[in-house]
Amino acid sequence: MTVPFLDLRVRDPEEKAALLAATERVLDHGRLVMGPEVEELETAVAARCGRKYAVGVSSGTGALFMAVRALGLDKGDDVITTSMSWIATANGIAVNGPAPVFADIRDDLNIDPASVERLITPKTKAILPVHFSGRVSPMEPLLEIAKRHGIPVIEDAAQAFGAKRRGRQAGNFGLMGCFSMNAMKMLAGCGDGGMVVTDDPDLRDKLVSLRYNGTINKEDCHTPSLNGRLDTLQAALLLERLKRVDRRIERRRAVGFFYNEALAGVGDLILPTEGPDDFHSYYAYTLRTPRRDALMAHLTAAGIESKVYHPILMPRHTAYRESARGEWSHADRCVAEILCLPCNETLSQEDVERVAAAVTGFFR
Ligand SMILES: *Cc1c(COP(=O)(O)O)cnc(C)c1O
């Protein structure tokens, strides 16, 4: 029996029945495009994040694209982001024209404010931190830097729905917060989806326009954009998932805490323990060890799936490496050491114990 990294089958009969009933309701009312469930989800997510507005979009990548677009940035502008993330973060900036400038990271794998400070120039028009693995970035210093330079912060909270720092929800800190609700994320649909949250009514109106070809009143195009609406069907499923998301987060945290305890002091591991100000959602349990590849092979041989999220630093992707600017020497060291253990609500206690025992066994 293998321990899967993530199993997306819906095996809880109560949840499955609720998702099927939600599907049936949408098929029956027939408002498949921008039906009432989209606004219902927007209202619920805005409330959850302590925000005035939320705009449902078709993916987390779309959320980032539209948030950067809504700032009206262009070629010649720079946006400082982290070097360690899924490439969607850099793409959301670059496809709009501005260049991503890649900052180094700290030991918690989040963007380093000192690196951001060093990289700021008059061309810097925004800072875009990523809450990596479900742990909120150091927002206090980042917001202070942004304020001092008069530039906005956009949060890539794709991995951090429900994560908190000093009691404040991810997505509550920046001018805009971007979520992914794809099938693998914490608040997950059964396909692609995303959301941008903000308190600014003008930005909200811009985002609504940008998600439908840049049109006003769905007719006249003011800014070329893409079609990036959230499906009614997906919104209906997400409303059901939202009811269950805190249970999911609690279960992941419990698995994360179990690993933290079981693996404390084992070998040369650096564990993703929670700081006193953090509420880590453990979207991913990302540990570090210089013997990463050997540990991964050991786990595979023991029937345990593990993954490297994400094996290529953003500035080292083919599309970026020629032109990438910034600094990422610590990120280079970290990316060779990171490994994600299975950490989710479908694992049994036996699975979790088996994973911990296999990791401990490797270092013994
Ligand atoms: C998943 C993810 C995205 C992109 O979201 P999609 O919904 O897959 O387009 C962006 N940034 C980060 C950090 C992510 O993990």
Side-chain angles (χ1 to χ4, degrees), residues 59-61 64 85-86 88-89 130 156 158-159 180 182 185 192-193:
S59 70
T61 309
L64 290 163
S85 181
W86 168 230
T89 309
V130 174
D156 181 344
Q159 303 186 353
S180 166
N182 84 28
K185 295 292 157 73
D192 282 311

